[in-house]
DNA sequence: GATATAAACAACGGAGTGAT
DNA sequence: ATCACTCCGTTGTTTATATC
C-alpha cells in the first residue's frame, strides 16, 4: 500500500534512456503534452538505464510540501496549483517546487519489490520509500491513520492498495482495474443553507437541478452550489429554499450533496420543467427556449464539434442579444459587418470569428451531424462512414441497428429524429447555406 | 433479468486572453 | 490596470440503452 498522493496524474514515456514524452491523463485516452514542463522538474532523473530505458510509467506530479499533515492542513489546493503551473506558458521560473511520485510501471518486472527497487535505483525513490507490504485489513487501516496524522512531504487524499501482480500495460483501460483499490480519507462535510434552486437545461433537453448555497468552506474549496442531479432525486430528497443540506467534497474537489439535515416549515417549491424539453425541442430561439438553445450553441462551438475557440456561453449570449437569431445555424448567415457592430467584440476579433464561421461550411459532414444534436453515439457515427444527408436519412431502423451501440430503441429514435419536420427543415437550411454534405 | 457502458451534466480554481 | 470570459484539469452521479 501507498499514500495516494494528491497531484496531477501523468504518463511518462522513456525511449533510449531519455524522457520522450509526458502526457496528462486527459479523458483517459488522449491527454495534453507536458513533456517540456516535466523536464524542468529537478528531481526527474536525467537519464535511466536497463529495463527503464524504454518504458512507460504512471505517476503523480505533486507540489512538495515538507511536513504536511493532511488532517491539520487539508489539501491546500495542491492539485489546482500543480495544474496551474503546468499550464503556464514560457519558462518564467523553474518548476523546482514540483516533484514526481511514480506509482506504476505497467510492463516492468513481474515482482513489485523488483519494480520498486529498479525505480528507486534510477532516481524515483519515493514509491519504494512509501510502499509497505500488507496482508491484513487492520494493517491497512493503521497505515492509513498514520499517514493522515503524521507529516509527509506531500498532500494526500487517501491510500492506495495494489496487488503485487499487475496485468500487462496493454490491458490497462480507463475506469477499469481490479488489481488496485483506493481508500480515501473521510471527506470533510459542512452544513449549508439553500438560498435558491436552479433548473438548468442541457442541449439534449435534460434537466439538472442545482442548489445555490450560502457559501461554505470545505477543506480548501469555497462551495456556492451543488449539483442535485435529476428532478426525481430532488423530489426524493424533498428540500427547498431555507432548508439545510450536508455537503462534502467528492473525489477531488467536486461538491456532493450527502443528505438533507433540516427542513423548515415552508414547503413551497419552485416548479421544475418536466417533459417540456427533449432532443427535438429548441432548435429555434423562441420564448422559453433560451436555455436549451444556448446549450445547443455552446455544444456546437465546443472542442467536441467545431472547436470555435474563444466562443463560450457568454459570447453566444452577446451574439444572441445583438443580432437577429432565429435558428440554431443563424450565425452562418451573419455578415462580417454585423459582427463588428456588437459591443464587446473588437473589429479584429469579429473578422476572425466570421472566418471561423465560414470555415465550418467545409467541416466534415459527421461534425454537422453532431452539431444538429443527432442522438447518435460516437462509435456508430464513426462506423457509419456516411458523408451526406442523403445517405444518413435513407437509413431505416434495420440499417441503423447494424452499427455498434445501436439497438432497436436508438434506431427507432434516430429515424424519428432524422425525419422530423424541424430537422428536415434545418437540413434544407444547411443546404441553402452551402454546407458540405447537405446538397 | 442482470450487468456494462456511454453520454450528459454538474462545480471549483488557476492561467491566459481580449475588451475597455 | 482591471474585468469578464474561456479553457483546462480534476471526477462523481444519473440515466438510458445495449448486450450478455
Amino acid at each position: 500500500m501507498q499514500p495516494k498522493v494528491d497531484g496531477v496524474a501523468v504518463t511518462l514515456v522513456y525511449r533510449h534512456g531519455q524522457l520522450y514524452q509526458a502526457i496528462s491523463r486527459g479523458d483517459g485516452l488522449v491527454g495534453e503534452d507536458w513533456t517540456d514542463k516535466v523536464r524542468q522538474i529537478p528531481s526527474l532523473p536525467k537519464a535511466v538505464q536497463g529495463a527503464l530505458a524504454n518504458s512507460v510509467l504512471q505517476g503523480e506530479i505533486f507540489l512538495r510540501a515538507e511536513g504536511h499533515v493532511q488532517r491539520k492542513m487539508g489539501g491546500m489546493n495542491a492539485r489546482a496549483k500543480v495544474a496551474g503551473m503546468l499550464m503556464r506558458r514560457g519558462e518564467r521560473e523553474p518548476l523546482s517546487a514540483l516533484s514526481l511520485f511514480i506509482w506504476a510501471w505497467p510492463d516492468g518486472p513481474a515482482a513489485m519489490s523488483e519494480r520498486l527497487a529498479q525505480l528507486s535505483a534510477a532516481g524515483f525513490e519515493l514509491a519504494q520509500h512509501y510502499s509497505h507490504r500488507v496482508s491484513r485489513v487492520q494493517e491497512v487501516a493503521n497505515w492509513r491513520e498514520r499517514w493522515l496524522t503524521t507529516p509527509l512531504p506531500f498532500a494526500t487524499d487517501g491510500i492506495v492498495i495494489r496487488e503485487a501482480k499487475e496485468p500487462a500495460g496493454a490491458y490497462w483501460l480507463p475506469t477499469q482495474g481490479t488489481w488496485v483499490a483506493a481508500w480515501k480519507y473521510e471527506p470533510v462535510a459542512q452544513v449549508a443553507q439553500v438560498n435558491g434552486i436552479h433548473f438548468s437545461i442541457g442541449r439534449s433537453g435534460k434537466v439538472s437541478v442545482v442548489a445555490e448555497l450560502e457559501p461554505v468552506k470545505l477543506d480548501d474549496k469555497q462551495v456556492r452550489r451543488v449539483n442535485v442531479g435529476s428532478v426525481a432525486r430532488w423530489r426524493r430528497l424533498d428540500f427547498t429554499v431555507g432548508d439545510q443540506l450536508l455537503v462534502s467534497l467528492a473525489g477531488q474537489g467536486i461538491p456532493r450533496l450527502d443528505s438533507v439535515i433540516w427542513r423548515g416549515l415552508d414547503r413551497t417549491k419552485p416548479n421544475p420543467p418536466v417533459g417540456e424539453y427533449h432532443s427535438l425541442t429548441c432548435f429555434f430561439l423562441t420564448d422559453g427556449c433560451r436555455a436549451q438553445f444556448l446549450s445547443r450553441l455552446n455544444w456546437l462551438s465546443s472542442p467536441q464539434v467545431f472547436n470555435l475557440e474563444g466562443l463560450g456561453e457568454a459570447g453566444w449570449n452577446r451574439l444572441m442579444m445583438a443580432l437577429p437569431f432565429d435558428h440554431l445555424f443563424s450565425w452562418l448567415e451573419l455578415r462580417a459587418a454585423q459582427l463588428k457592430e456588437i459591443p464587446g467584440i473588437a473589429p479584429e476579433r469579429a473578422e476572425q470569428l466570421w472566418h471561423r464561421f465560414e470555415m465550418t461550411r467545409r467541416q466534415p459532414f459527421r461534425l454537422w451531424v453532431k452539431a444538429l444534436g443527432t442522438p447518435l453515439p460516437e462509435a456508430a457515427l464513426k462506423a457509419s462512414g456516411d458523408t451526406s444527408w442523403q445517405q444518413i436519412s435513407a437509413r431505416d431502423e434495420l440499417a441503423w441497428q447494424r452499427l455498434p451501440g445501436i439497438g432497436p430503441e436508438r434506431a427507432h429514435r434516430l429515424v424519428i429524429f432524422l425525419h422530423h419536420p424541424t430537422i428536415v427543415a434545418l437540413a434544407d437550411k444547411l443546404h441553402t447555406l452551402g454546407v458540405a454534405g447537405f446538397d
Side-chain angles (χ1 to χ4, degrees):
Chain A
M1 69 176 289
Q2 300 168 336
K4 189 169 188 300
V5 179
D6 193 7
V8 176
V10 71
T11 300
L12 303 183
V13 181
Y14 274 93
R15 289 201 186 158
H16 311 301
Q18 301 289 321
L19 179 66
Y20 174 74
Q21 230 178 6
I23 309 156
S24 78
R25 177 157 69 185
D27 60 6
L29 293 172
V30 177
E32 290 279 299
D33 191 312
W34 283 342
T35 314
D36 292 336
K37 290 290 176 192
V38 170
R39 285 202 179 113
Q40 292 175 52
I41 297 176
S43 65
L44 182 87
K46 292 279 167 282
V48 294
Q49 294 166 356
L52 275 168
N54 293 289
S55 62
V56 177
L57 306 177
Q58 303 286 352
E60 198 82 4
I61 303 176
F62 66 91
L63 195 61
R64 276 212 323 275
E66 293 305 328
H68 180 86
V69 180
Q70 188 66 29
R71 174 163 283 167
K72 266 199 285 184
M73 307 178 194
M76 306 194 314
N77 269 330
R79 169 170 303 94
K81 282 178 190 154
V82 174
M85 288 171 98
L86 291 168
M87 281 190 278
R88 196 146 59 198
R89 282 186 266 172
E91 285 159 39
R92 265 172 285 163
E93 74 243 59
L95 303 177
S96 52
L98 298 184
S99 193
L100 274 164
F101 188 104
I102 302 296
W103 41 261
W105 179 5
D107 291 313
M112 185 182 284
S113 55
E114 184 57 29
R115 285 200 297 277
L116 291 173
Q118 286 194 30
L119 282 168
S120 189
F124 300 110
E125 299 98 350
L126 286 171
Q128 189 180 46
H129 192 258
Y130 290 101
S131 293
H132 297 279
R133 176 190 296 271
V134 286
S135 49
R136 271 181 248 285
V137 174
Q138 193 53 51
E139 289 175 81
V140 176
N142 291 345
W143 273 112
R144 183 172 178 269
E145 183 63 21
R146 181 162 162 193
W147 280 330
L148 176 62
T149 52
T150 56
L152 291 174
F154 34 66
T156 58
D157 52 353
I159 60 99
V160 177
I161 312 144
R162 330 182 63 89
E163 287 180 3
K165 267 206 194 111
E166 291 176 340
Y171 298 101
W172 290 41
L173 284 170
T175 75
Q176 301 195 358
T178 52
W179 63 93
V180 53
W183 184 10
K184 297 200 181 169
Y185 295 134
E186 220 35 58
V188 236
Q190 287 285 336
V191 177
Q193 173 165 294
V194 180
N195 281 343
I197 291 170
H198 173 88
F199 304 104
S200 76
I201 304 171
R203 68 175 180 94
S204 63
K206 181 178 165 182
V207 177
S208 304
V209 185
V210 177
E212 322 266 350
L213 307 173
E214 187 64 38
V216 282
K217 198 134 182 81
L218 279 170
D219 190 6
D220 46 8
K221 306 241 171 6
Q222 183 86 13
V223 174
R224 284 165 290 247
R225 283 186 293 248
V226 65
N227 181 25
V228 181
S230 61
V231 172
R233 184 174 180 226
W234 172 55
R235 291 217 163 113
R236 275 200 304 277
L237 288 166
D238 180 30
F239 69 86
T240 187
V241 176
D243 295 350
Q244 299 198 327
L245 308 178
L246 187 67
V247 178
S248 62
L249 288 181
Q252 318 196 345
I254 297 174
R256 173 180 57 195
L257 168 54
D258 294 321
S259 60
V260 181
I261 291 291
W262 183 85
R263 292 185 183 88
L265 288 175
D266 185 4
R267 302 317 295 152
T268 49
K269 293 180 189 167
N271 261 331
V274 174
E276 289 172 41
Y277 303 100
H278 50 78
S279 66
L280 278 161
T281 50
C282 296
F283 288 96
F284 293 86
L285 181 54
T286 56
D287 279 346
C289 260
R290 214 185 164 74
Q292 191 183 0
F293 189 80
L294 192 58
S295 296
R296 286 188 183 280
L297 287 172
N298 221 356
W299 156 255
L300 67 82
S301 65
S302 76
Q304 291 167 93
V305 189
F306 291 134
N307 197 15
L308 300 173
E309 282 155 26
L311 191 53
E313 186 172 322
W316 281 117
N317 234 330
R318 253 204 289 250
L319 290 192
M320 276 165 45
M321 300 284 260
L323 298 171
F325 248 75
D326 170 33
H327 58 89
L328 189 58
F329 304 115
S330 285
W331 44 274
L332 262 180
E333 297 169 2
L334 300 175
R335 280 169 285 111
Q338 286 179 296
L339 285 170
K340 282 178 192 163
E341 286 166 16
I342 301 176
I345 298 184
E348 202 177 313
R349 168 126 178 74
E351 184 74 29
Q352 187 195 358
L353 203 54
W354 183 79
H355 265 285
R356 298 297 306 258
F357 285 169
E358 285 300 296
M359 287 196 332
T360 62
R361 287 174 213 266
R362 291 193 297 277
Q363 291 286 326
F365 178 71
R366 46 169 275 271
L367 292 186
W368 279 98
V369 173
K370 289 171 109 178
L372 260 173
T374 315
L376 185 58
E378 191 66 36
L381 184 58
K382 278 211 178 97
S384 79
D386 291 347
T387 54
S388 74
W389 182 251
Q390 254 187 341
Q391 285 174 295
I392 210 164
S393 54
R395 282 179 183 274
D396 59 12
E397 295 192 18
L398 280 175
W400 281 118
Q401 283 189 57
R402 283 196 280 272
L403 296 176
I406 304 211
E409 187 64 33
R410 274 192 187 137
H412 183 63
R413 280 176 195 281
L414 272 166
V415 172
I416 290 178
F417 182 91
L418 294 169
H419 290 98
H420 192 276
T422 306
I423 301 300
V424 173
L426 279 172
D428 192 53
K429 272 213 159 65
L430 291 177
H431 162 67
T432 317
L433 290 166
V435 172
F438 287 84
D439 24 39

